Coordinates of all heavy atoms in Angstrom, one line a residue:
Chain V
K215 N -114.8 70.4 -147.9 CA -115.8 71.4 -148.4 C -116.1 72.5 -147.4 O -117.2 72.8 -147.1 CB -117.1 70.6 -148.7 CG -116.8 69.6 -149.8 CD -118.1 68.9 -150.3 CE -117.7 68.0 -151.5 NZ -118.7 67.1 -151.9
L306 N -94.5 76.2 -179.0 CA -94.4 77.5 -178.2 C -93.1 78.2 -178.5 O -92.9 79.4 -178.4 CB -94.5 77.2 -176.7 CG -96.0 77.0 -176.2 CD1 -96.0 76.6 -174.7 CD2 -96.7 78.3 -176.3
I326 N -99.0 76.9 -183.9 CA -99.5 76.3 -182.7 C -101.0 75.8 -183.0 O -101.3 74.7 -182.6 CB -99.5 77.2 -181.5 CG1 -98.0 77.6 -181.2 CG2 -100.1 76.6 -180.3 CD1 -97.8 78.6 -180.2
R327 N -101.8 76.6 -183.6 CA -103.2 76.3 -183.8 C -103.3 75.0 -184.7 O -104.0 74.1 -184.3 CB -103.9 77.4 -184.5 CG -105.3 77.2 -185.0 CD -106.3 76.9 -183.9 NE -106.3 77.8 -182.9 CZ -107.0 79.0 -182.9 NH1 -107.6 79.4 -184.0 NH2 -106.9 79.8 -181.9
H336 N -102.6 69.7 -174.6 CA -101.5 70.1 -173.9 C -101.9 70.7 -172.5 O -102.6 71.7 -172.4 CB -100.8 71.2 -174.7 CG -99.5 71.8 -174.0 ND1 -99.0 72.9 -174.5 CD2 -98.8 71.4 -173.0 CE1 -97.9 73.2 -173.7 NE2 -97.8 72.3 -172.8
H342 N -100.7 79.5 -164.6 CA -101.0 80.9 -164.7 C -100.5 81.6 -165.9 O -101.1 82.5 -166.4 CB -100.5 81.6 -163.4 CG -101.4 81.3 -162.2 ND1 -101.2 81.8 -161.0 CD2 -102.5 80.5 -162.1 CE1 -102.1 81.3 -160.1 NE2 -102.9 80.6 -160.8
K343 N -99.3 81.1 -166.3 CA -98.7 81.7 -167.5 C -99.4 81.3 -168.8 O -99.8 82.1 -169.6 CB -97.2 81.4 -167.6 CG -96.5 82.2 -168.7 CD -95.0 82.0 -168.6 CE -94.3 82.8 -169.7 NZ -93.0 82.3 -170.0
H344 N -99.5 80.0 -169.0 CA -100.1 79.5 -170.2 C -101.5 78.9 -170.2 O -102.3 79.0 -171.1 CB -99.1 78.4 -170.8 CG -97.8 78.9 -171.3 ND1 -96.6 78.5 -170.8 CD2 -97.6 79.9 -172.2 CE1 -95.7 79.2 -171.4 NE2 -96.2 80.0 -172.3
L346 N -104.3 79.4 -168.3 CA -105.5 80.1 -168.1 C -105.3 81.6 -168.5 O -104.3 82.1 -168.2 CB -106.0 80.0 -166.7 CG -106.4 78.6 -166.2 CD1 -106.6 78.7 -164.7 CD2 -107.7 78.2 -166.8
V347 N -106.4 82.2 -168.9 CA -106.5 83.6 -169.0 C -107.2 84.0 -167.7 O -108.4 83.9 -167.6 CB -107.3 84.2 -170.2 CG1 -107.4 85.7 -170.2 CG2 -106.6 83.7 -171.5
D349 N -108.1 86.6 -166.2 CA -109.2 87.6 -166.3 C -110.4 87.2 -167.0 O -111.4 87.9 -167.1 CB -108.6 88.9 -166.8 CG -107.6 89.5 -165.9 OD1 -107.9 89.7 -164.8 OD2 -106.5 89.8 -166.4
Y350 N -110.4 86.0 -167.6 CA -111.5 85.4 -168.3 C -112.3 84.6 -167.2 O -111.6 84.0 -166.4 CB -111.2 84.6 -169.5 CG -111.1 85.3 -170.8 CD1 -110.6 84.7 -171.9 CD2 -111.6 86.6 -170.9 CE1 -110.6 85.4 -173.1 CE2 -111.6 87.3 -172.1 CZ -111.1 86.7 -173.2 OH -111.1 87.4 -174.4
E354 N -115.3 81.1 -170.4 CA -114.4 81.6 -171.4 C -113.1 80.7 -171.5 O -112.6 80.4 -172.6 CB -114.1 83.0 -171.2 CG -115.3 83.9 -171.5 CD -115.1 85.4 -171.0 OE1 -114.5 85.6 -170.0 OE2 -115.5 86.3 -171.7
L358 N -111.2 78.1 -174.6 CA -109.9 78.8 -175.1 C -109.3 78.1 -176.3 O -108.8 78.8 -177.2 CB -108.9 78.8 -173.9 CG -107.8 79.9 -174.0 CD1 -108.3 81.3 -174.2 CD2 -106.9 79.8 -172.8
Q359 N -109.4 76.8 -176.3 CA -108.8 76.1 -177.4 C -109.8 75.7 -178.5 O -109.4 75.1 -179.5 CB -108.2 74.8 -176.9 CG -107.1 74.9 -175.9 CD -105.7 74.8 -176.6 OE1 -105.5 75.3 -177.7 NE2 -104.8 74.2 -175.9
Y361 N -112.9 77.9 -179.3 CA -113.9 78.9 -179.5 C -114.3 79.1 -180.9 O -115.4 79.6 -181.3 CB -113.4 80.3 -178.9 CG -112.2 80.8 -179.6 CD1 -112.3 81.6 -180.8 CD2 -110.9 80.5 -179.2 CE1 -111.2 82.0 -181.5 CE2 -109.8 80.9 -179.9 CZ -109.9 81.7 -181.0 OH -108.8 82.1 -181.7
Q367 N -119.5 78.8 -182.1 CA -119.6 80.1 -182.8 C -120.4 79.9 -184.1 O -120.4 78.8 -184.7 CB -118.3 80.8 -183.1 CG -117.3 79.9 -183.9 CD -117.3 80.3 -185.4 OE1 -117.8 81.4 -185.8 NE2 -116.9 79.4 -186.3
G370 N -118.7 83.8 -186.7 CA -117.9 84.6 -185.9 C -118.5 85.2 -184.7 O -117.9 85.9 -183.9
F371 N -119.8 84.8 -184.5 CA -120.5 85.2 -183.2 C -120.5 84.1 -182.2 O -120.9 83.0 -182.6 CB -121.9 85.7 -183.5 CG -121.9 87.1 -184.2 CD1 -121.8 87.2 -185.5 CD2 -122.1 88.2 -183.4 CE1 -121.8 88.4 -186.1 CE2 -122.1 89.4 -184.0 CZ -121.9 89.6 -185.3
L372 N -120.1 84.4 -181.0 CA -120.0 83.3 -180.0 C -121.4 82.8 -179.6 O -122.4 83.6 -179.6 CB -119.3 83.8 -178.7 CG -117.8 84.1 -178.9 CD1 -117.3 84.9 -177.7 CD2 -117.1 82.8 -179.0
F374 N -123.3 81.7 -176.8 CA -123.2 81.7 -175.3 C -123.9 80.5 -174.6 O -123.5 80.0 -173.6 CB -123.5 83.0 -174.7 CG -122.6 84.1 -175.0 CD1 -122.8 85.0 -176.1 CD2 -121.4 84.2 -174.3 CE1 -121.9 85.9 -176.4 CE2 -120.4 85.2 -174.6 CZ -120.7 86.1 -175.7
R391 N -114.8 72.6 -158.4 CA -115.5 73.3 -157.4 C -115.5 74.8 -157.6 O -114.4 75.4 -157.5 CB -114.9 73.0 -156.0 CG -114.7 71.5 -155.8 CD -115.9 70.9 -155.0 NE -115.8 69.4 -155.0 CZ -115.2 68.7 -154.1 NH1 -114.7 69.3 -153.0 NH2 -115.2 67.4 -154.1
C392 N -116.6 75.4 -157.9 CA -116.6 76.8 -158.2 C -117.9 77.4 -157.7 O -118.9 76.7 -157.6 CB -116.5 77.0 -159.7 SG -117.7 76.2 -160.7
G393 N -117.9 78.6 -157.4 CA -119.1 79.3 -156.7 C -120.2 79.6 -157.7 O -121.3 79.5 -157.4
R415 N -110.6 70.8 -169.9 CA -110.6 71.4 -171.2 C -109.8 70.5 -172.2 O -110.3 70.2 -173.3 CB -110.0 72.8 -171.2 CG -110.0 73.5 -172.5 CD -109.3 74.8 -172.5 NE -107.9 74.8 -172.2 CZ -107.2 75.6 -171.5 NH1 -107.8 76.7 -170.9 NH2 -105.9 75.5 -171.3
E416 N -108.6 70.1 -171.8 CA -107.7 69.4 -172.7 C -108.2 68.0 -172.9 O -108.2 67.5 -174.0 CB -106.3 69.4 -172.2 CG -105.7 70.8 -172.1 CD -105.8 71.5 -173.4 OE1 -105.3 71.0 -174.4 OE2 -106.3 72.7 -173.5
Chain O
I225 N -120.3 95.0 -179.7 CA -120.5 93.7 -180.2 C -119.2 92.9 -180.5 O -119.1 91.8 -180.1 CB -121.4 93.8 -181.5 CG1 -122.8 94.3 -181.1 CG2 -121.5 92.4 -182.2 CD1 -123.7 94.5 -182.3
N228 N -117.7 91.9 -177.2 CA -118.4 91.0 -176.3 C -119.0 89.8 -176.9 O -119.4 88.8 -176.2 CB -119.4 91.8 -175.5 CG -118.8 92.8 -174.6 OD1 -118.0 92.5 -173.7 ND2 -119.1 94.1 -174.8
K229 N -119.2 89.8 -178.2 CA -120.0 88.8 -178.8 C -119.3 88.0 -179.9 O -119.8 87.0 -180.3 CB -121.3 89.4 -179.5 CG -122.1 90.3 -178.6 CD -123.0 89.5 -177.6 CE -123.8 90.4 -176.7 NZ -124.1 89.7 -175.5
T230 N -118.1 88.4 -180.3 CA -117.5 87.7 -181.4 C -116.2 87.0 -181.0 O -115.6 87.2 -180.0 CB -117.1 88.7 -182.5 OG1 -116.1 89.6 -182.0 CG2 -118.3 89.6 -182.9
T231 N -115.9 86.0 -181.9 CA -114.7 85.2 -181.6 C -113.5 86.2 -181.8 O -112.4 86.0 -181.2 CB -114.5 84.1 -182.6 OG1 -114.8 84.6 -183.9 CG2 -115.6 83.0 -182.4
F232 N -113.6 87.1 -182.8 CA -112.5 88.0 -183.0 C -112.2 88.8 -181.7 O -111.0 88.9 -181.3 CB -112.9 89.0 -184.2 CG -111.9 90.0 -184.5 CD1 -110.6 89.6 -185.0 CD2 -112.2 91.4 -184.4 CE1 -109.7 90.6 -185.3 CE2 -111.3 92.3 -184.8 CZ -110.0 91.9 -185.2
G233 N -113.2 89.4 -181.1 CA -113.0 90.1 -179.8 C -112.5 89.2 -178.8 O -111.6 89.6 -178.0
F234 N -113.0 88.0 -178.7 CA -112.5 87.0 -177.8 C -111.0 86.8 -177.9 O -110.2 86.8 -176.9 CB -113.2 85.6 -178.0 CG -112.9 84.6 -177.0 CD1 -113.5 84.5 -175.8 CD2 -111.9 83.6 -177.3 CE1 -113.2 83.5 -174.9 CE2 -111.6 82.6 -176.4 CZ -112.3 82.5 -175.2
Q235 N -110.5 86.7 -179.1 CA -109.1 86.6 -179.4 C -108.3 87.8 -178.9 O -107.3 87.7 -178.2 CB -108.8 86.4 -180.8 CG -109.3 85.1 -181.4 CD -109.0 85.0 -182.9 OE1 -108.4 85.9 -183.5 NE2 -109.4 83.9 -183.5
K237 N -109.1 90.2 -176.8 CA -109.1 90.3 -175.3 C -108.2 89.3 -174.7 O -107.5 89.6 -173.7 CB -110.5 90.2 -174.8 CG -111.3 91.5 -174.9 CD -112.6 91.4 -174.1 CE -113.5 90.3 -174.7 NZ -114.7 90.1 -173.9
A238 N -108.2 88.1 -175.2 CA -107.3 87.1 -174.6 C -105.8 87.5 -174.7 O -105.1 87.4 -173.7 CB -107.5 85.7 -175.3
H241 N -105.2 90.3 -172.1 CA -105.1 89.8 -170.7 C -103.9 89.0 -170.5 O -103.2 89.1 -169.4 CB -106.3 88.9 -170.4 CG -107.6 89.7 -170.3 ND1 -107.7 90.9 -169.6 CD2 -108.8 89.5 -170.7 CE1 -109.0 91.3 -169.6 NE2 -109.7 90.5 -170.3
N242 N -103.5 88.1 -171.4 CA -102.4 87.2 -171.1 C -101.9 86.7 -172.5 O -102.5 85.7 -173.0 CB -102.9 86.1 -170.2 CG -101.8 85.1 -169.9 OD1 -100.7 85.1 -170.6 ND2 -102.0 84.2 -169.0
D244 N -99.2 85.1 -173.3 CA -98.7 83.8 -173.3 C -99.7 82.7 -173.4 O -99.6 81.8 -174.2 CB -97.9 83.5 -172.0 CG -96.6 84.4 -172.0 OD1 -95.9 84.4 -172.9 OD2 -96.4 85.1 -171.0
A245 N -100.8 82.9 -172.6 CA -101.9 81.9 -172.7 C -102.6 82.0 -174.1 O -103.0 81.0 -174.6 CB -102.9 82.2 -171.6
K247 N -101.2 82.7 -176.9 CA -100.3 82.0 -177.8 C -100.4 80.5 -177.6 O -100.5 79.8 -178.6 CB -98.8 82.4 -177.5 CG -97.8 81.9 -178.4 CD -96.4 82.5 -178.1 CE -95.4 81.9 -179.1 NZ -94.0 82.2 -178.7
Y248 N -100.4 80.1 -176.4 CA -100.6 78.6 -176.1 C -101.9 78.1 -176.8 O -102.0 77.0 -177.3 CB -100.7 78.5 -174.6 CG -101.5 77.3 -174.1 CD1 -100.9 76.0 -173.9 CD2 -102.9 77.4 -173.8 CE1 -101.6 74.9 -173.5 CE2 -103.6 76.3 -173.3 CZ -103.0 75.1 -173.2 OH -103.7 74.0 -172.8
A249 N -103.0 79.0 -176.8 CA -104.2 78.6 -177.3 C -104.3 78.7 -178.9 O -105.3 78.5 -179.5 CB -105.4 79.4 -176.7
G250 N -103.1 79.0 -179.4 CA -103.0 79.0 -180.9 C -103.5 80.3 -181.5 O -103.8 80.4 -182.7
I251 N -103.7 81.4 -180.7 CA -104.0 82.7 -181.3 C -102.8 83.4 -181.8 O -101.8 83.4 -181.1 CB -104.7 83.5 -180.2 CG1 -106.1 82.9 -179.8 CG2 -105.0 84.9 -180.7 CD1 -106.7 83.4 -178.5
K379 N -127.8 81.7 -153.8 CA -126.7 80.9 -154.3 C -126.9 80.6 -155.7 O -128.0 80.2 -156.2 CB -126.7 79.6 -153.5 CG -126.4 79.8 -152.0 CD -125.5 78.6 -151.5 CE -125.0 79.0 -150.1 NZ -124.1 78.0 -149.6
T380 N -125.8 80.8 -156.5 CA -125.9 80.7 -157.9 C -125.2 79.5 -158.5 O -125.3 79.2 -159.6 CB -125.4 82.0 -158.6 OG1 -124.3 82.4 -157.9 CG2 -126.5 83.0 -158.6
G381 N -124.4 78.9 -157.7 CA -123.5 77.9 -158.3 C -123.6 76.5 -157.7 O -124.3 76.2 -156.8
G382 N -122.7 75.7 -158.2 CA -122.8 74.2 -157.9 C -122.2 73.9 -156.6 O -122.5 72.8 -156.1
D383 N -121.3 74.7 -156.1 CA -120.6 74.3 -154.8 C -121.5 74.2 -153.6 O -122.3 75.1 -153.4 CB -119.5 75.2 -154.6 CG -118.3 74.5 -153.9 OD1 -118.5 73.5 -153.3 OD2 -117.2 75.0 -154.0
E384 N -121.4 73.2 -152.8 CA -122.1 73.3 -151.6 C -121.3 74.1 -150.5 O -120.1 74.0 -150.5 CB -122.4 72.0 -150.9 CG -122.6 70.7 -151.5 CD -121.6 70.1 -152.4 OE1 -120.8 70.7 -153.1 OE2 -121.7 68.9 -152.5

Side-chain angles (χ1 to χ4, degrees):
Chain V
K215 298 188 175 167
L306 280 171
I326 296 174
R327 171 65 50 81
H336 179 195
H342 284 179
K343 187 172 179 203
H344 290 121
L346 293 170
V347 177
D349 292 306
Y350 269 173
E354 289 167 321
L358 200 56
Q359 296 262 39
Y361 63 88
Q367 59 97 20
F371 285 86
L372 290 166
F374 290 97
R391 309 266 168 92
C392 55
R415 177 183 72 214
E416 298 304 305
Chain O
I225 292 175
N228 295 301
K229 307 283 178 203
T230 66
T231 51
F232 180 60
F234 184 84
Q235 295 180 358
K237 280 190 298 177
H241 289 313
N242 181 346
D244 293 308
K247 186 176 178 189
Y248 153 88
I251 295 168
K379 291 218 173 183
T380 37
D383 211 338
E384 326 59 334

